Amino acid sequence: MIQLSLESRKALVTGAGRGIGEEIARTLAQQGAHVVCVSRTAANCERVAQSIHDQGGSAEAMAVDVTDRVAVKGACEDMLSRLGGIDILINNAGITRDALTIRMSHEDWDDVIQTNLTSAFLWTKSLLYAMVQKRWGRIISISSVIGKIGNAGQANYAAAKAGLIGFTKSVAREVASRGVCVNAIAPGFIETDMTRSIHEKWAAEFIKMIPMKRIGSVRDIASLTAFLCSDAAAYMTGQVLTVDGGMTM
Ligand code: NDP
C-alpha cells in the first residue's frame, strides 16, 4: 500500500500566513502532521494555525522574520527542546522586488536574496542535525521556474530561486545516506497575492504561454509537497520538480 500519511510528523512551513505556504500547511495537517506555521505577521500565521485547529488538525503559529538570523536560531532551539525537532521543513517564504537590473537598488537585491535564499540556509542549518540523527527528514524549498529560465526585471528573484536549486542539490548530496530527502519545487504562475498584483493585461499574456491555458492553484503545489514529504517519496532527493502547466517543458 502507498504510504502518504504524515501521522506523528512535525512540520515547519515558512510563509504559511498566506498563499502557497498556507495551503501547504493545511495539506500537511490534513495528512496528520503537527504544523508550525511561520510568517512575518503574527495575525496571518495565527489565523492559519487556528483554522487548522478548528478543522481538527494540529498546528501552532510562530511569527518570525525569516531574514533575522538570531530569531530563526532562537525559534529552532525552542522547537528542538519543546517538540524534539522538526521532521519536515518547507522553505516557502518569499518576496519580489522587481526592477530592471540597471535600475535595481542594492536594497531590493539584498532583501530578495535574504528572504528567498539565505532564509532557507538559516532554517536548514539549525534543523538538519536533528533530522540526520533521527535518520529521517524532508526539506523542500519552493523555487520558481524563473530560477530556471530567468526573467527580465527579476534578476534578484531569479538569482535567489536558482540559488535555492544549487543549495537543494548540495544539501541533498550531504545527507542522502542519512534518510533525509532534500528537493525543490519550481512553480510556474500560481494565483496568490504575489501574482494578483500583476496587471490583468500581463496575466493574459502569461496564460497564452501556458499549454494548459490556466493559472495554477495553490493546491497544485501543496499536493506535490505532501507527496514529497511522505514515505512514498523516500527514494527521491536532489530533484527540482516543475509545476507550471507545461510552460517550460
Ligand atoms: P505570498 O506573497 O502570497 O505569501 C508570502 C508569504 O511569505 C507570506 O505568508 C509572508 O508573510 C511570508 N514572508 C515574506 N517575507 C517574510 C519574512 N521576511 N519573514 C517571514 N515570512 C515572510 O507568496 P506566494 O504564496 O505566492 O509565494 C510563496 C512562495 O512561492 C515564494 O517563495 C514565491 O517566490 C514562490 N513562488 C510563487 C509563485 C506564484 O506564482 N505565486 C511562482 C513561483 C514561486 P506575511 O503573511 O506575514 O506577510
Side-chain angles (χ1 to χ4, degrees):
M1 196 171 55
I2 297 172
Q3 183 53 270
L4 294 170
S5 164
L6 300 177
E7 212 69 50
S8 87
R9 302 292 184 203
K10 285 155 228 151
L12 184 143
V13 184
T14 70
R18 293 181 280 130
I20 292 171
E22 172 175 355
E23 187 66 16
I24 291 173
R26 290 181 185 284
T27 306
L28 300 188
Q30 280 159 12
Q31 293 305 117
H34 171 73
V35 184
V36 181
C37 303
V38 172
S39 73
R40 195 174 25 190
T41 315
N44 290 355
C45 54
E46 280 166 9
R47 176 187 61 81
V48 174
Q50 185 61 50
S51 129
I52 289 173
H53 192 262
D54 292 346
Q55 284 161 16
S58 175
E60 61 183 280
M62 204 176 251
V64 180
D65 180 342
V66 298
T67 67
D68 183 337
R69 191 188 296 188
V70 176
V72 171
K73 189 164 181 276
C76 291
E77 282 167 2
D78 168 54
M79 279 174 300
L80 289 171
S81 67
R82 200 165 44 82
L83 303 175
I86 289 290
D87 308 298
I88 295 167
L89 167 63
I90 313 294
N91 292 310
N92 164 79
I95 56 166
T96 52
R97 296 278 184 274
D98 298 350
L100 291 171
T101 306
I102 218 159
R103 294 200 201 112
M104 186 177 287
S105 69
H106 291 271
E107 195 178 40
D108 285 349
W109 173 270
D110 287 343
D111 284 352
V112 167
I113 298 291
Q114 293 289 327
T115 308
N116 295 270
L117 177 59
T118 308
S119 64
F121 164 69
L122 296 178
W123 290 101
T124 303
K125 180 176 166 59
S126 290
L127 297 173
L128 188 57
Y129 184 65
M131 291 182 192
V132 165
Q133 273 191 319
K134 199 170 171 183
R135 295 288 194 270
W136 199 98
R138 296 284 187 271
I139 300 175
I140 296 160
S141 296
I142 307 300
S143 176
S144 168
V145 290
I146 302 304
K148 293 169 60 189
I149 63 173
N151 196 21
Q154 291 198 304
N156 51 359
Y157 186 75
K161 295 304 190 184
L164 274 181
I165 293 173
F167 174 75
T168 294
K169 289 176 181 286
S170 302
V171 180
R173 286 182 186 276
E174 290 174 6
V175 296
S177 63
R178 311 297 162 96
V180 181
C181 300
V182 188
N183 292 292
I185 295 176
F189 195 29
I190 307 297
E191 189 169 10
T192 67
D193 290 349
M194 190 179 267
T195 46
R196 245 169 246 133
S197 61
I198 294 173
H199 193 280
E200 269 182 24
K201 176 183 157 219
W202 289 111
E205 289 303 314
F206 270 121
I207 290 168
K208 278 188 200 157
M209 298 188 297
I210 304 171
M212 286 189 181
K213 299 292 170 217
R214 70 169 176 92
I215 292 176
S217 77
V218 290
R219 196 161 281 232
D220 293 320
I221 308 303
S223 53
L224 173 61
T225 307
F227 169 72
L228 287 174
C229 291
S230 74
D231 283 328
Y235 199 52
M236 289 180 71
T237 198
Q239 302 304 308
V240 184
L241 292 116
T242 301
V243 184
D244 67 352
M247 190 167 67
T248 61
M249 71 172 84

